[in-house]
């Protein structure tokens, strides 16, 4: 089947969020004299992932993530003289300046841009993601960007991309990609197809000549 619209998740589909997160959290730990060890980095990552999963399920607001994740770090490592909000601002400042492309991402976008409408879907923090989209050059290929902050809905909620800002009619010739394995075909719009949930799935389909 051919597709005329592709809705792409940004992080861990086109760019490596894991690498950018590690760079940013390492800088935060260094600034506040927290030992940069695998165990300590994993502590933040695990707690942050729990909060984002709750956000995606609609259990908490994005501001709750920002207020809570680094307060947990502060409590865990007994840091004084700083609060969670300040540490979070430092982290976001580091994060917004890092956008590491996945192998083959630009080539993939170049191959499909002439025959498909490309839209980016993200739950990430608006200001951070807009800067990372520019740094990565992904924005140069995007006909539109759907964010949870602007739409009022969180992916995988299908309503995040039902507000059609790019003049495209989403139907059976639309393909959705996602980065989390919790997102399945049942989460997509009823008449959408699901190509893959990881960058490897996209690369595989691309190499196999999926159009």
């Amino acid at each position: 089947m051919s597709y005329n619209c592709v809705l792409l998740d940004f992080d861990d589909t086109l760019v490596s969020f894991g690498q950018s997160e590690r760079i940013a959290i390492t800088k935060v730990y260094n600034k506040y004299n927290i030992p940069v060890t695998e165990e300590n980095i994993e502590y933040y990552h695990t707690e942050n992932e729990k909060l984002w999963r709750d956000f995606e399920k609609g259990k908490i607001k994005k501001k709750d993530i920002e207020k809570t994740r680094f307060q947990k770090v502060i409590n865990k490592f007994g840091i004084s003289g700083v609060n969670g909000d300040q540490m979070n601002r430092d982290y976001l400042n580091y994060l917004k300046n890092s956008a590491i492309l996945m192998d083959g991402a630009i080539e993939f976008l170049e191959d499909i841009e002439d025959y498909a409408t490309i839209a980016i879907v993200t739950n990430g923090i608006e200001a951070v993601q807009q800067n990372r989209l520019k740094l990565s050059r992904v924005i140069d290929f995007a006909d539109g960007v759907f964010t949870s902050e602007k739409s009022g809905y969180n992916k995988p909620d299908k309503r995040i991309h039902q507000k059609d800002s790019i003049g495209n009619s989403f139907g059976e010739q639309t393909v959705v990609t996602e980065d989390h394995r919790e997102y399945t075909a049942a989460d997509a719009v009823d008449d959408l197809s699901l190509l893959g949930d990881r960058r490897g799935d996209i690369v595989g389909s691309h190499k196999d000549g999926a159009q």
Side-chain angles (χ1 to χ4, degrees), residues 14 101-111 199 203 206:
L14 297 171
L101 285 160
M102 303 290 272
D103 290 343
I106 292 298
E107 292 82 357
F108 171 70
L109 292 170
E110 288 175 338
D111 282 353
R199 172 68 187 140
V203 171
H206 171 46

Side-chain angles (χ1 to χ4, degrees), residues 153-175:
Y153 301 103
N154 314 326
K155 66 179 182 67
D157 190 319
K158 63 187 180 182
R159 290 173 292 181
I160 190 174
H161 47 66
Q162 280 189 334
K163 293 185 177 181
D164 185 357
S165 63
I166 57 176
N168 191 76
S169 178
F170 298 140
E172 64 180 12
Q173 289 183 297
T174 301
V175 62

Side-chain angles (χ1 to χ4, degrees), residues 187-201:
D187 298 309
V189 183
D190 291 340
D191 58 0
L192 298 185
S193 299
L194 187 70
L195 177 63
D197 63 352
R198 288 286 177 186
R199 172 68 187 140
D201 295 323

